[in-house]
């Protein structure tokens, strides 16, 4: 009856002026079926429908066995039914779509709905303050200023109660050492550490897991024992068991990283820190309806104190370095050291690509920073009770308000037309505010590499052409040098005639020898 109803609908729509394509789309059938129905009159359609009822199908003789399977295993899929048929019946050639349709008809006829294992979720109360933090990794591709794609990797931490977050980015996959460093930074940012850490079964943390018996990597096991926190490892491929951090990773990718231009790693991490203050921790959480930063102010009091690495250096250049209370720290790229979740400045230039260790000496409320190599005190700060603060000595700051103008003035002094040079350099500053120091440095280097007159000639030409960048200025100087005329060799001066006072030299004749003398020399004889 369903086919007859469909036949009637096709003809009705056709009479209303619908095209074959629109009929097929409206009724959800193939265009070929529409053609077949339109070609048949009612009598032909009745004969055709009667013939189809008598037709046997390939799977009819296996219907009892399929029915038995479905009753025993209501969750059995049509793909499994197809595989079991292939396994038990050799030479059976039936498409999977045919099996799927047949299985569906049997389920409908005998009322055998397919059962699925559905995971039931239960709302659970928030964990106690300071009890747990969850950790996970993510990665994404970002565009840089040159339009190139850069792959970045992030690790994120979230305190389960307050939802207070911390994240750290790298431009290479995280190693166990990188993860341990990220833990140290996160704990200092939190001002303490929770009792339990939740992880995915990542191979930089866990070697293997067998029914709850977890084997950690050597480095991570050592760190876990030193820091004395419990580890909860989620089941493999079960992201929902650590849903809080999974949501955080997605939030970071979509809200922070998406469409953001990458410059360098330090700047990217700084942008991430500001984003956490502004958005990640500063906005109301959808579930708790509270701002994480506000709840964190109470939760951090329940965190356990962070273990401090105490060391006694062998260098005894000063008594500070022999003290049992000296703490080893590595100088960061921004010429600061971390102590109790705050950053304390050291003189600019202290940082080294090869790593620079310093010793911290704490006396009452004063923090002294000592160079491990020389024993010199390079910084003295009053210890702050804040979290995440930057404490700087005035002597450690660069006076940026005076530095750039003075740099522009000293660079302009080298040009013959100083007023034009000042105009040009200030225009560079307006176009490259963040890189003006680099631009000025490149222009200053030209005075050591090229003739000064060509540099002075390049200035008005660059202003005229509006070439306001150090690289374009460099290209203009090279262009002028390439256009200079080639110096031809000076012509040989003509031989001057003898003056009349020396005319007697024309009568002078050189002495001559007999030919026999030369013959004797050539034959090796003695000419004396």
């Amino acid at each position: 009856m369903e086919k007859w109803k469909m036949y009637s609908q096709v003809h009705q729509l056709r009479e209303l002026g619908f095209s074959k394509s629109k009929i097929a789309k409206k009724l959800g059938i193939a265009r070929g079926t529409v053609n077949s129905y339109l070609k048949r009159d009612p009598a032909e359609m009745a004969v055709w429908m009667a013939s189809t009822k008598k037709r046997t199908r390939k799977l009819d003789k296996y219907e009892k066995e399929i029915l038995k399977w479905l009753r025993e295993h209501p969750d059995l899929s049509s793909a499994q039914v197809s595989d079991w048929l292939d396994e038990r019946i050799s030479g059976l050639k039936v498409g999977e779509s045919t099996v799927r349709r047949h299985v569906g008809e049997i389920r409908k006829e005998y009322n055998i709905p397919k059962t699925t294992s559905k995971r039931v979720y239960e709302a659970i109360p928030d964990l106690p303050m300071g009890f747990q933090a969850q950790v996970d990794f993510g990665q994404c591709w970002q565009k840089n200023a040159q339009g190139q794609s850069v792959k970045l990797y992030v690790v994120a931490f979230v305190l389960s109660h307050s939802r207070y977050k911390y994240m750290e980015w790298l431009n290479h996959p995280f190693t166990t050492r990188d993860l341990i460093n990220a833990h140290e930074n996160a704990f200092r940012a939190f001002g303490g550490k929770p009792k339990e850490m939740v992880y995915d079964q990542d191979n930089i943390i866990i070697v293997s897991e067998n029914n709850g018996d977890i084997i950690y990597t050597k480095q991570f096991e050592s760190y876990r024992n030193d820091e004395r926190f419990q580890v909860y490892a989620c089941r493999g491929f079960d992201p929902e068991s650590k849903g809080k951090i999974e949501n955080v990773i997605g939030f970071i990718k979509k809200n922070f990283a998406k469409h953001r231009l990458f410059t360098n790693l330090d700047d990217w991490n700084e942008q991430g820190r500001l984003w956490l203050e502004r958005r990640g921790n500063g906005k109301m959480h959808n579930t708790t309806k509270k701002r994480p930063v506000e709840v964190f102010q109470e939760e951090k009091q329940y965190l356990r104190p962070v273990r401090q690495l105490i060391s006694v250096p062998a260098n005894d250049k000063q008594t500070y370095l022999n003290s049992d209370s000296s703490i080893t720290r590595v100088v960061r790229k921004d010429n600061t050291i971390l102590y109790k979740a705050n950053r304390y400045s050291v003189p600019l230039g202290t940082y080294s690509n090869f790593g620079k260790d310093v010793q911290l000496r704490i006396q009452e409320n004063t923090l002294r920073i000592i160079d491990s190599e020389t024993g010199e005190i390079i910084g003295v700060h009053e210890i702050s009770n804040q979290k995440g603060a930057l404490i700087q000595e005035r002597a450690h700051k660069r006076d940026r308000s005076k530095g750039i103008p003075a740099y522009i003035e000293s660079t302009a002094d080298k040009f013959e037309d100083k007023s034009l040079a000042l105009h040009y350099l200030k225009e560079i500053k307006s176009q490259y505010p963040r890189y003006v120091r680099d631009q000025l440095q490149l222009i200053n280097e030209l005075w050591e590499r090229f003739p000064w007159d060509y540099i002075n000639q390049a200035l008005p030409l660059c202003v005229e052409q509006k070439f306001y960048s150090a690289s374009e200025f460099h290209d203009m100087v090279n262009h002028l040098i390439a256009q200079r005329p080639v110096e031809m060799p000076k012509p040989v001066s003509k031989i001057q005639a003898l003056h009349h006072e020396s005319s007697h030299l024309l009568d002078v004749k050189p002495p001559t020898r007999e030919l026999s003398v030369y013959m004797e020399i050539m034959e090796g004889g003695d000419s004396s």
Side-chain angles (χ1 to χ4, degrees):
M1 291 301 294
E2 289 182 357
K3 289 183 179 179
W4 186 260
K5 182 180 179 181
M6 184 69 70
Y7 172 82
S8 300
Q9 289 177 336
V10 169
H11 279 271
Q12 288 174 9
L13 292 172
R14 187 61 173 172
E15 289 174 2
L16 291 173
F18 283 82
S19 66
K20 295 178 181 179
S21 297
K22 289 186 177 180
I23 293 172
K25 186 175 181 180
K26 187 174 183 64
L27 298 178
I29 58 177
R31 194 170 183 275
T33 303
V34 173
N35 285 329
S36 176
Y37 285 178
L38 290 174
K39 289 178 181 177
R40 294 187 176 98
D41 59 26
E44 291 175 338
M45 186 66 183
V47 173
W48 178 76
M49 287 180 61
S51 68
T52 58
K53 289 182 179 179
K54 298 177 182 178
R55 185 167 36 182
T56 59
R57 297 174 296 181
K58 287 184 178 180
L59 295 177
D60 284 347
K61 55 182 173 181
Y62 307 113
E63 184 170 319
K64 289 184 179 180
E65 191 163 8
I66 296 173
L67 178 60
K68 178 185 175 183
W69 293 342
L70 294 175
R71 282 176 171 167
E72 290 178 355
H73 311 285
D75 61 339
L76 198 66
S77 67
S78 59
Q80 285 178 291
V81 171
S82 179
D83 182 65
W84 287 10
L85 288 171
D86 290 340
E87 186 179 21
R88 290 163 173 77
I89 305 168
S90 59
L92 180 65
K93 295 181 180 180
V94 181
E96 286 191 7
S97 60
T98 302
V99 176
R100 182 168 56 252
R101 184 168 55 252
H102 196 81
V103 168
E105 292 173 358
I106 293 175
R107 285 186 182 279
K108 185 176 181 180
E109 183 177 352
Y110 294 95
N111 192 25
I112 308 175
K114 185 177 180 180
T115 60
T116 57
S117 57
K118 186 176 181 180
R119 186 169 183 175
V120 179
Y121 296 92
E122 178 185 6
I124 59 173
D126 279 334
L127 292 169
M129 289 189 177
F131 177 76
Q132 186 192 85
Q134 298 185 6
V135 185
D136 203 8
F137 302 88
Q139 57 189 37
C140 60
W141 288 92
Q142 300 298 136
K143 292 289 186 182
N144 61 15
Q146 290 74 39
Q148 300 169 333
S149 294
V150 180
K151 193 172 187 179
L152 300 177
Y153 302 80
V154 63
V155 62
F157 299 73
V158 60
L159 293 173
S160 295
H161 182 88
S162 64
R163 272 63 165 189
Y164 193 82
K165 307 163 194 69
Y166 172 85
M167 67 176 172
E168 191 166 314
W169 293 82
L170 290 178
N171 53 8
H172 60 81
F174 277 83
T175 64
T176 304
R177 182 70 256 173
D178 293 328
L179 180 61
I180 291 173
N181 289 337
H183 275 74
E184 295 283 340
N185 295 335
F187 291 161
R188 292 190 179 100
F190 293 155
K193 60 189 174 188
K195 183 179 180 181
E196 181 184 83
M197 302 294 294
V198 179
Y199 304 93
D200 205 345
Q201 293 195 20
D202 195 279
N203 57 10
I204 67 174
I205 301 173
I206 296 171
V207 176
S208 65
E209 185 266 346
N210 182 22
N211 296 324
D213 295 327
I214 298 173
I215 301 175
Y216 301 96
T217 60
K218 183 178 179 180
Q219 270 187 301
F220 190 78
E221 175 68 6
S222 175
Y223 177 71
R224 186 179 70 89
N225 287 333
D226 289 340
E227 290 294 342
R228 300 184 181 278
F229 56 74
Q230 299 174 8
V231 170
Y232 179 88
C234 298
R235 291 175 297 171
F237 307 101
D238 185 23
E240 291 170 311
S241 56
K242 57 179 193 337
K244 294 182 180 67
I245 191 63
E246 289 287 338
N247 291 337
V248 169
I249 291 294
F251 187 35
I252 290 172
K253 288 183 178 180
K254 294 176 183 177
N255 196 287
F256 168 72
K258 190 175 182 180
H259 303 311
R260 188 180 294 270
L261 196 65
F262 176 78
T263 51
N264 59 68
L265 197 60
D266 287 342
D267 185 60
W268 186 264
N269 275 302
E270 180 63 12
Q271 290 181 45
R273 185 187 65 79
L274 296 174
W275 176 83
L276 284 174
E277 292 179 0
R278 182 177 63 251
R279 177 71 56 178
N281 294 323
K283 291 291 183 179
M284 185 180 69
H285 193 273
N286 286 336
T287 302
T288 65
K289 303 304 179 184
K290 299 176 182 177
R291 297 173 65 221
V293 66
E294 294 176 351
V295 184
F296 172 71
Q297 297 306 314
E298 184 178 358
E299 183 178 23
K300 68 181 180 181
Q301 301 174 23
Y302 294 85
L303 297 172
R304 296 183 299 154
V306 179
R307 180 182 65 88
Q308 294 178 344
L309 301 177
I310 307 298
S311 63
V312 182
N315 189 339
D316 58 354
K317 293 182 180 180
Q318 280 199 5
T319 56
Y320 287 124
L321 298 182
N322 289 328
S323 171
D324 290 338
S325 62
S326 63
I327 304 171
T328 302
R329 286 288 185 270
V330 177
V331 178
R332 294 153 54 93
K333 283 187 177 180
D334 59 356
N335 289 285
T336 63
I337 58 93
L338 285 174
Y339 178 68
K340 288 190 175 181
N342 290 317
R343 293 177 295 159
Y344 293 85
S345 68
V346 295
L348 295 177
T350 305
Y351 168 77
S352 170
N353 290 330
F354 302 101
K356 177 67 175 179
D357 290 339
V358 294
Q359 303 294 319
L360 308 186
R361 169 73 173 178
I362 295 89
Q363 290 180 327
E364 296 181 352
N365 200 38
T366 301
L367 172 67
R368 287 180 171 81
I369 306 172
I370 303 102
D371 190 312
S372 296
E373 297 178 0
T374 65
E376 177 188 0
I377 300 175
I378 58 176
V380 179
H381 300 278
E382 183 179 348
I383 296 176
S384 173
N385 294 322
Q386 302 179 57
K387 301 297 180 185
L390 171 62
I391 295 90
Q392 284 184 304
E393 281 190 37
R394 183 179 296 276
H396 296 169
K397 295 182 180 180
R398 176 185 293 149
D399 189 349
R400 298 181 183 276
S401 62
K402 294 182 180 179
I404 296 300
Y407 202 179
I408 291 176
E409 188 76 21
S410 63
T411 304
D413 283 337
K414 297 182 179 181
F415 289 88
E416 292 178 354
D417 191 341
K418 182 178 178 179
S419 61
L420 185 62
L422 283 172
H423 162 74
Y424 180 74
L425 298 176
K426 288 177 181 178
E427 187 64 30
I428 288 180
K429 180 186 175 184
S430 67
Q431 296 197 23
Y432 299 91
R434 294 182 58 194
Y435 303 99
V436 61
R437 192 176 295 274
D438 297 329
Q439 293 280 318
L440 294 172
Q441 183 177 349
L442 290 174
I443 291 177
N444 275 282
E445 289 175 359
L446 298 178
W447 295 92
E448 301 175 2
R449 297 171 51 195
F450 299 107
W452 292 7
D453 53 341
Y454 290 104
I455 297 176
N456 282 306
Q457 292 175 35
L459 177 62
L461 295 175
C462 285
V463 172
E464 180 182 349
Q465 299 295 327
K466 297 183 179 180
F467 291 163
Y468 294 111
S469 77
S471 60
E472 290 176 323
F473 192 93
H474 174 273
D475 292 343
M476 180 62 76
V477 173
N478 271 331
H479 172 74
L480 292 174
I481 292 175
Q483 297 299 317
R484 62 185 175 184
V486 179
E487 295 184 1
M488 300 298 294
K490 295 181 179 181
V492 179
S493 58
K494 296 181 180 180
I495 300 175
Q496 299 294 327
L498 292 174
H499 299 288
H500 65 277
E501 293 87 355
S502 305
S503 57
H504 66 281
L505 295 175
L506 295 174
D507 299 329
V508 176
K509 292 183 179 180
T512 58
R513 294 184 180 184
E514 295 292 334
L515 181 60
S516 59
V517 175
Y518 296 101
M519 293 297 293
E520 289 180 3
I521 293 173
M522 293 175 65
E523 292 175 359
D526 188 3
S527 60
S528 57

